[in-house]
Amino acid sequence: MSIVVMKFGGTSVADSEMIRSAARRAVQARQRGHKVVAVVSAMGNTTDRLIDLAGQITRRPSRREMDQLLSTGEQVTIALMAMAIEDMGVPSVSFTAGQIRIITDDVHGQAKIRRINAHSIVRELDAGRIVIVAGFQGVTETGEVTTLGRGGSNLTLVAVAAAIDAKFCENYTDVDGVYTADPRLVPGARKIDRITYDEMMELSSQGASVLHNRAVGFAKKHNVPIHVRSSLHNRRGTMIVSETEEMERIVVNAVALKKHLAGISLKNVPDRPGMAATVFHALAAAKIVVDDIIQTETTPKLATISFTVDLSALPAVRKLCRKMCRQIKGVTAEFEKDLAKVSVVGLGMRVHTGVAERMFAALASGGINIRDITTSEIKISCIIKRAEGAKALRLVHDAFELGRKKKPAAKTTKKKKTAKKKKTKKKTAAKKK
Ligand code: ASP
Ligand code: MG
């Protein structure tokens, strides 16, 4: 008897009707002969409502009490889900994280899972019950309630699947799967059948919001493939899997757009050891997540350090940079708040050349100016003006023929990747921390 671990996100359990339909899915899987575990999120936008409610009480709720509050969302769903399944004549039992010891560290609001007591789940499965687990929550060794960060039910899903040795897990959500581009921005986007963990992580850190990056990283670590699929129908979605050689044949698998970026350029930074460390130490200490970093030598003794951050972080970054300008002689700061980033992602880039050229030509054809370029082994990103973001995404998507049914023809020649890297001029690009 194989084990199926499925997860229903908030939009898939938004009301009682949807909970019943999620329950039906779990029951059907059991009738097909599987042992079934279902991880569930809070109903609809419950978590947002709870956050809002806390905001009505105090401007500064403690993180501990926030977790006490937010964890209640999932607790409602597990009980209703178990009731719905029992109502269909199948035995079921629900568990909070405390009951099955989903042990985390004590970082409230962003806790990391350390281990799960698989015994209690397995015991219930063996007794013939469908097991329902509250997503998003955990407990510390001492029994304090924690939460895993927004979208954290996906982490619970993967962690539970890994703990009980499931062959793969299923993520039921409100989209059909992972697309070659956001279908709301690119109408011709196509659903991808299979994508690797690494590509998926790049895509989500470059703006695709399908799956939490941490969850995919966790899945990779434990090699638990994730099937992302719609809770509205039975069609196959997208399998997120470990890579196989054959997957390198696809040069570019998908494109993504990060819409709300701000750019900061620190100019006239003395070109000597320790300067970059000083700058980014200050940002890290303020818990600012830096996106791409580019340093260019401008004159033999001076450098420009440019980096991007989420637009929402700009006020804090501005303050910090102004302070740095006062502290380091000669340094000036410039800020841009109208940036976006378009990226192409594909494993095949490792062995095919000409990818960068094709991307840049697509942008040029639309008269789009590239402010900065950064690359990793499996992605190329261009920072552009926000106003041109959607257009850029469409142009690049077209250039790699991602919308077509057939696989994009590898017009490019097979050879080493260094040619691509040269295109990034003399800039040194570093991935975010
Ligand atoms: N309910 C939590 C949230 O909305 C966790 C989740 O849905 O995964 O972020
Ligand atoms: Mg949710």
Side-chain angles (χ1 to χ4, degrees):
M1 238 183 169
S2 67
I3 305 177
V4 174
V5 186
M6 34 178 83
K7 178 226 147 187
F8 298 92
T11 51
S12 302
V13 288
D15 56 32
S16 50
E17 215 17 75
M18 296 189 82
I19 291 179
R20 292 189 73 83
S21 111
R24 214 168 295 126
R25 244 175 223 288
V27 167
Q28 282 162 357
R30 178 148 182 291
Q31 284 162 349
R32 283 196 299 273
H34 300 294
K35 293 179 176 175
V36 182
V37 181
V39 174
V40 292
S41 294
M43 295 169 68
N45 59 5
T46 301
T47 310
D48 291 322
R49 274 198 297 105
L50 292 171
I51 292 172
D52 187 66
L53 202 53
Q56 292 173 31
I57 300 286
T58 168
R59 300 251 301 276
R60 300 227 237 118
S62 82
R63 296 172 79 87
R64 178 187 187 276
E65 297 310 327
M66 211 52 197
D67 279 354
Q68 294 279 73
L69 178 67
L70 297 191
S71 63
T72 62
E74 273 68 14
Q75 191 162 340
V76 170
T77 323
I78 54 169
L80 293 174
M81 181 84 171
M83 287 178 202
I85 291 171
E86 298 232 283
D87 193 52
M88 293 170 192
V90 176
S92 178
V93 58
S94 72
F95 290 122
T96 60
Q99 289 170 313
I100 47 166
R101 316 271 311 144
I102 300 182
I103 303 292
T104 68
D105 60 18
D106 59 2
V107 184
H108 285 291
Q110 244 348 294
K112 286 203 177 64
I113 298 178
R114 286 190 175 147
R115 61 175 188 279
I116 295 179
N117 179 3
H119 291 307
S120 42
I121 299 178
V122 172
R123 192 185 56 230
E124 296 297 335
L125 288 174
D126 288 345
R129 299 192 179 91
I130 293 180
V131 177
I132 314 297
V133 176
F136 178 57
Q137 51 178 257
V139 282
T140 65
E141 304 279 2
T142 57
E144 288 292 298
V145 175
T146 55
T147 63
L148 310 176
R150 296 307 305 268
S153 300
N154 290 321
L155 284 164
T156 311
L157 166 72
V158 176
V160 167
I164 60 178
D165 252 337
K167 290 273 168 310
F168 71 98
C169 61
E170 296 190 304
N171 188 331
Y172 285 94
T173 174
D174 57 346
V175 295
D176 292 345
V178 182
Y179 275 70
T180 51
D182 183 341
R184 288 166 301 186
L185 299 175
V186 183
R190 174 177 52 83
K191 194 180 87 230
I192 301 171
D193 291 333
R194 278 150 61 86
I195 189 165
T196 62
Y197 299 123
D198 287 332
E199 288 170 311
M200 192 63 228
M201 279 191 275
E202 278 288 9
L203 273 183
S204 43
S205 55
Q206 299 313 327
S209 58
V210 189
L211 246 192
H212 213 278
N213 215 348
R214 263 170 79 206
V216 184
F218 208 79
K220 180 184 177 186
K221 190 166 153 212
H222 299 277
N223 197 11
V224 180
I226 308 173
H227 187 182
V228 180
R229 57 189 305 185
S230 168
S231 54
L232 300 175
H233 55 69
N234 282 322
R235 288 191 292 280
R236 277 183 58 89
T238 302
M239 279 303 272
I240 306 173
V241 295
S242 63
E243 71 178 86
T244 59
E245 228 170 82
E246 148 234 0
M247 293 178 97
E248 273 192 342
R249 263 190 286 147
I250 300 173
V251 183
V252 165
N253 221 339
V255 299
L257 180 69
K258 236 183 187 175
K259 258 184 271 178
H260 299 105
L261 286 179
I264 297 93
S265 295
L266 294 173
K267 301 197 163 163
N268 305 321
V269 180
D271 192 11
R272 61 175 147 79
M275 287 317 300
T278 307
V279 171
F280 291 100
H281 173 76
L283 293 165
K287 296 256 185 307
I288 287 160
V289 178
V290 177
D291 198 55
D292 287 310
I293 303 168
I294 296 177
Q295 172 170 312
T296 330
E297 198 181 67
T298 44
T299 68
K301 290 228 163 54
L302 293 174
T304 296
I305 298 178
S306 306
F307 57 95
T308 46
V309 295
D310 192 85
L311 184 59
S312 61
L314 185 60
V317 174
R318 192 178 261 144
K319 245 193 182 153
L320 271 176
C321 289
R322 295 233 161 100
K323 193 167 150 207
M324 261 182 265
C325 290
R326 287 193 297 273
Q327 285 166 350
I328 312 167
K329 216 179 116 233
V331 175
T332 59
E334 282 169 22
F335 305 94
E336 286 166 274
K337 54 177 191 225
D338 57 349
L339 301 180
K341 180 164 65 166
V342 61
S343 306
V344 302
V345 173
L347 216 61
M349 259 176 235
R350 293 199 297 223
V351 289
H352 293 86
T353 58
V355 182
E357 176 205 334
R358 202 150 150 192
M359 177 179 192
F360 303 156
L363 295 175
S365 75
I368 297 172
N369 193 39
I370 303 171
R371 177 188 181 271
D372 277 317
I373 300 162
T374 60
T375 65
S376 83
E377 210 186 11
I378 62 167
K379 73 115 218 238
I380 302 171
S381 297
C382 293
I383 311 253
I384 55 174
K385 288 282 187 203
R386 181 172 314 129
E388 295 177 321
K391 179 178 165 193
L393 194 70
R394 279 193 291 273
L395 285 169
V396 175
H397 190 263
D398 279 355
F400 289 96
E401 298 168 13
L402 294 177
R404 300 241 188 102
K405 266 277 158 273
K406 63 179 169 65
K407 296 277 179 312
K411 175 178 116 186
T412 49
T413 44
K414 205 163 168 137
K415 208 31 232 153
K416 55 182 199 269
K417 61 199 172 203
T418 42
K420 172 188 98 191
K421 293 270 156 85
K422 270 186 205 139
K423 296 257 159 52
T424 63
K425 294 172 198 157
K426 282 220 196 92
K427 291 169 174 174
T428 344
K431 262 289 293 168
K432 74 171 180 193
K433 302 277 102 13

